[in-house]
RNA sequence: CGGGCAAUAGCGCAGGUGGUUAGCGUACAAGUCUGGGGGACUUGGGGUCGCCAGUUCGAGUCUGGCUUGCCCGACCA
């Protein structure tokens, strides 16, 4: 049979599409730029969702749901906000067969409709903090879409909080950024750089945007989550004041933060290989697949043995399945489950059975280990945990190896393969460079190399001294530049 | 949203200058043999050729429009 997956070397972009389609994670839809998330893709999203939801509740947030349709006038209340989102709005102008007096836009994000309600709900410092999260779909009319990474409609989570003081709001912004970092790194095994966005890149309507940036296998950056300190911008736009503890009246301080189904794309592009999807055990719908191998005369006994192993694994709380489909060969099943990303495979044939063993095969390394059947649960548990760690470490090593400190513009141009440098094949990576803080420098670099300022890493802003790698002016920050998705 | 390419069976493709019952591989179904890395043979089912118009006696094939996708730019989780 022909190769299903285009090798990464040949065409990284096609490789990604092949994985998504062939592993049946998603499919194209008849609607431009919108995709169908298929059961396997949705199962992965549900696992991501469940972990984040747990962490949000742990940090005191409650879920709620706001309307998908937002009166256009609401968006216009915050100048920067509407300017930022206007180009990608989908607008509803008819309802019930009649032209609407005021059109609704389909939410591109929910700050405005949520703050219109917060005005009703917040009166006193006793109403604060207000910590609400919403799981929802949003629509942003995209010119260029890619499965999971950028679609016109996507699923996400948006947290919207209101606080008494600026300090509390900033603390919340950073708390949620840290939740993102922790879950994305530990649960999705995707290493990230937490940092601050530049003015150019920040969220429309925010005072400051924090981000976690990850590096894909083609060395391009992917923004994996953002947390915004909104200051009093939306409180002022929607006139949300509260009675302070000392009897005064003040605008509340706000945050918002979000992660989306894009994370599924991040997981795919971080871990997978030319054989197919590679999933961290935490995210895989099944942690272990048992593939029985038998001839006609050994079929019954092998299946019975495999059933016993399946029961032992389930007993131990491991998500295991037995692929007893009789119509495809073991070799077929091996390839199929590798394509689907199952972290651990257990092969059971007559020889294993005779020896009282099973064969453990790791998806990430292809390593095969015979294991005594009595210890199969414990060993599987142990191996799954090792895979979880190994995936993160491998990705972090790759990211670190492709993060380079750069001090001058010529080096920067060479790193990103700009025209005239003779390095057109260079893939770049993360360029860590000093920056003067000017938007002109960002724009200039972008024009020459397509690389943008991804973030200013949070813990690298001390003792900045030196010159901007782009213009030579005194530097104010250390920043990561990269091409991005 | 501009430029380029594409759309024929689930998937991958072939179908010179228009010609009547649209093919091949693979997958699918049934059966027999198989089974430790995508098995073999036999038989069988499956298509309004992306959509809408037009040219023509006749369109998968030519023309126009539209839709969707991919690549390259401009814009963005």
């Amino acid at each position: 049979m022909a190769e299903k997956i285009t090798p990464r070397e040949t065409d990284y972009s096609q490789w990604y599409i092949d994985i998504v389609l062939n592993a049946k994670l998603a499919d194209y839809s008849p609607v431009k730029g919108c995709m169908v998330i298929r059961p396997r893709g949705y199962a992965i999203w549900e696992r991501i969702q469940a972990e984040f939801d747990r962490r949000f509740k742990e940090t005191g947030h409650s879920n709620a749901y706001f309307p998908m349709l937002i009166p256009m006038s609401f968006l216009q209340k915050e100048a920067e906000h509407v300017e930022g989102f206007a180009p990608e709005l989908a607008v509803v102008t008819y309802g019930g067969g009649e032209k609407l007096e005021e059109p609704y836009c389909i939410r591109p994000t929910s700050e405005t409709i949520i703050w219109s309600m917060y005005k009703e709900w917040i009166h006193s410092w006793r109403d604060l903090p207000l910590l609400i999260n919403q799981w929802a779909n949003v629509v942003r009319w995209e010119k260029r879409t890619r499965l999971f990474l950028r679609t016109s409609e996507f699923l996400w989570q948006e947290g919207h909080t209101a606080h008494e003081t600026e300090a509390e709001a900033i603390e919340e912004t950073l708390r949620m950024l840290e939740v993102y970092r922790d879950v994305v790194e530990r649960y999705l095994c995707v290493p990230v750089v937490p940092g601050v966005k530049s003015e150019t890149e920040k969220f429309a309507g925010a005072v400051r945007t924090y981000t976690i940036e990850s590096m894909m296998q083609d060395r391009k950056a992917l923004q994996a989550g953002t947390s915004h300190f909104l200051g009093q911008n939306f409180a002022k736009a929607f006139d949300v004041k509260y009675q302070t503890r000392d009897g005064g009246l003040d605008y509340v301080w706000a945050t918002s933060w979000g992660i989306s189904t894009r994370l599924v794309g991040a997981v795919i592009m971080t871990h997978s290989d030319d054989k197919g999807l590679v999933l961290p055990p935490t995210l895989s719908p099944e942690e272990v697949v048992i593939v029985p191998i038998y001839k006609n005369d050994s079929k019954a006994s092998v299946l019975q043995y495999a059933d016993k192993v399946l029961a032992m694994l389930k007993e131990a709380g491991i998500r295991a399945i037995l692929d007893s489909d009789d119509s495809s060969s073991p070799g077929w099943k091996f390839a199929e489950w590798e394509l689907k990303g199952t972290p651990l495979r257990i092969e059971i044939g007559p020889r294993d059975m005779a020896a009282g063993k099973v064969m453990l095969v790791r998806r990430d390394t292809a390593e095969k280990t015979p294991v005594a059947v009595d210890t199969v649960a414990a060993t599987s548990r142990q191996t799954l945990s090792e895979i979880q760690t190994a995936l993160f470490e491998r990705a972090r090593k790759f990211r670190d190896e492709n993060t380079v400190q750069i001090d001058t513009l010529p080096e920067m141009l060479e790193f990103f393969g700009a025209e005239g440098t003779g390095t057109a094949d260079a893939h770049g990576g993360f360029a860590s460079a000093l920056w003067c803080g000017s938007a002109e420098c960002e724009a200039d670099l972008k024009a020459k190399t397509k690389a943008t300022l991804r973030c200013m890493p949070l813990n690298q802003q001390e003792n900045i001294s030196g010159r901007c790698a782009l213009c030579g002016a005194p530097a104010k920050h250390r920043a990561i530049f990269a091409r991005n998705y």
Side-chain angles (χ1 to χ4, degrees):
Chain A
M1 178 172 175
E3 278 297 319
K4 280 186 161 180
I5 309 287
T6 305
R8 284 166 292 185
E9 278 293 304
T10 310
D11 184 344
Y12 189 81
S13 176
Q14 190 59 48
W15 165 82
Y16 174 76
I17 294 165
D18 288 348
I19 299 260
V20 172
L21 261 27
N22 288 310
K24 297 186 169 67
L25 302 181
D27 207 345
Y28 294 110
S29 75
V31 183
K32 185 183 176 67
C34 292
M35 67 172 181
V36 176
I37 304 178
R38 301 182 68 172
R40 190 167 183 82
Y42 203 80
I44 294 167
W45 173 240
E46 281 180 318
R47 298 194 64 81
I48 293 174
Q49 229 184 343
E51 179 64 10
F52 276 111
D53 199 63
R54 189 176 73 75
R55 300 291 295 265
F56 296 157
K57 285 169 181 162
E58 223 173 64
T59 44
H61 304 83
S62 304
N63 287 333
Y65 187 79
F66 295 82
M68 182 179 67
L69 299 177
I70 300 179
M72 279 299 280
S73 59
F74 280 27
L75 253 80
Q76 287 151 3
K77 291 191 182 197
E78 216 288 334
E80 203 177 295
H81 191 65
V82 68
E83 192 191 333
F85 283 106
E88 29 185 4
L89 288 184
V91 182
V92 177
T93 54
Y94 278 82
E98 284 175 33
K99 196 165 202 301
L100 299 173
E101 221 165 283
E102 182 185 352
Y104 292 114
C105 69
I106 301 176
R107 63 181 161 219
T109 178
S110 302
E111 271 78 6
T112 57
I113 191 133
I114 288 179
W115 278 86
S116 74
M117 296 311 296
Y118 280 8
K119 177 180 167 60
E120 311 289 326
W121 299 343
I122 298 170
H123 301 106
S124 149
W125 65 272
R126 293 180 190 276
D127 298 322
L128 300 171
L130 184 54
L131 308 173
I132 289 182
N133 176 64
Q134 159 167 268
W135 289 98
N137 57 340
V138 287
V139 169
R140 297 181 186 178
W141 215 257
E142 295 292 345
K143 315 272 178 173
R144 188 158 179 199
T145 56
R146 295 166 72 90
L147 296 165
F148 286 113
L149 301 177
R150 170 164 287 108
T151 46
S152 290
E153 179 189 14
F154 57 95
L155 305 183
W156 79 341
Q157 147 280 314
E158 46 182 328
H160 296 272
T161 69
H163 307 264
E164 276 186 83
T165 64
E166 177 175 26
E168 272 180 51
I170 291 173
E171 189 188 336
E172 167 78 1
T173 311
L174 290 169
R175 177 184 304 117
M176 299 324 287
L177 185 78
E178 173 57 17
V179 166
Y180 285 172
R181 187 204 61 74
D182 194 56
V183 174
V184 171
E185 292 201 327
R186 299 229 315 244
Y187 206 73
L188 315 201
C189 304
V190 174
V192 296
V193 179
V196 184
K197 286 286 188 189
S198 64
E199 276 298 303
T200 314
E201 301 279 336
K202 81 171 168 58
F203 175 74
V207 170
R208 193 156 59 247
T209 290
Y210 295 89
T211 177
I212 48 173
E213 294 286 325
S214 56
M215 183 191 286
M216 303 295 98
Q217 291 178 43
D218 61 354
R219 305 187 184 91
K220 283 164 91 172
L222 182 78
Q223 180 174 304
T226 48
S227 186
H228 316 288
F229 168 59
L230 302 175
Q232 295 177 312
N233 292 351
F234 286 91
K236 285 176 180 165
F238 286 88
D239 193 34
V240 185
K241 291 182 194 155
Y242 73 103
Q243 194 113 78
T244 60
R245 286 168 198 259
D246 55 17
L249 204 56
D250 197 5
Y251 290 111
V252 301
W253 297 84
T255 82
S256 71
W257 26 275
I259 55 97
S260 73
T261 37
R262 165 181 268 193
L263 283 177
V264 177
V267 167
I268 297 166
M269 288 208 295
T270 300
H271 305 305
S272 303
D273 60 26
D274 290 348
K275 288 192 288 188
L277 186 63
V278 174
L279 287 172
T282 42
L283 295 186
S284 184
E286 65 292 317
E287 293 170 292
V288 176
V289 59
I290 302 170
V291 177
I293 299 155
Y294 49 76
K295 300 184 194 299
N296 272 336
D297 57 353
S298 52
K299 180 174 171 180
S301 55
V302 166
L303 281 178
Q304 195 185 1
Y305 188 78
D307 264 328
K308 194 179 83 179
V309 173
L310 178 67
M312 291 167 75
L313 292 171
K314 282 185 170 172
E315 182 77 16
I318 294 171
R319 298 192 304 284
I321 56 169
L322 169 64
D323 185 355
S324 55
D325 178 2
D326 202 28
S327 64
S328 48
S329 67
W332 177 276
K333 291 175 183 174
F334 296 165
E336 191 62 19
W337 289 107
E338 280 165 358
L339 172 61
K340 289 186 168 173
T342 308
L344 198 56
R345 179 172 78 235
I346 294 183
E347 303 176 7
I348 299 179
R351 293 206 294 270
D352 306 297
M353 194 170 68
K357 297 193 167 178
V358 300
M359 188 67 83
L360 242 59
V361 188
R362 280 174 66 151
R363 173 64 182 89
D364 61 332
T365 59
E367 187 187 345
K368 294 192 177 192
T369 317
V371 170
V373 70
D374 303 336
T375 67
V376 66
T379 311
S380 296
R381 173 54 63 219
Q382 173 65 26
T383 308
L384 287 165
S385 154
E386 283 169 21
I387 294 171
Q388 188 80 16
T389 308
L391 289 181
F392 177 74
E393 289 304 332
R394 189 174 63 179
R396 182 164 67 180
K397 185 160 173 280
F398 180 83
R399 195 264 321 266
D400 289 347
E401 282 170 359
N402 290 287
T403 302
V404 177
Q405 184 172 322
I406 292 184
D407 301 320
T408 67
L409 184 59
E411 286 178 90
M412 190 74 104
L413 297 181
E414 194 180 337
F415 185 69
F416 289 116
E419 248 179 89
T421 55
T423 53
D425 291 339
H427 293 89
F430 283 3
S432 169
L434 292 175
W435 175 55
C436 63
S438 91
E440 287 74 29
C441 278
E442 284 182 270
D444 185 50
L445 183 72
K446 186 177 179 183
K448 287 174 175 153
T449 66
K450 287 188 271 184
T452 52
L453 196 160
R454 301 321 304 154
C455 73
M456 295 169 263
L458 285 186
N459 48 22
Q460 295 176 27
Q461 303 306 319
E462 316 268 300
N463 306 317
I464 298 292
S465 77
R467 303 203 159 267
C468 175
L470 304 172
C471 71
K476 291 183 185 153
H477 312 278
R478 176 159 289 280
I480 300 280
F481 294 88
R483 289 197 185 159
N484 70 295
Y485 277 99

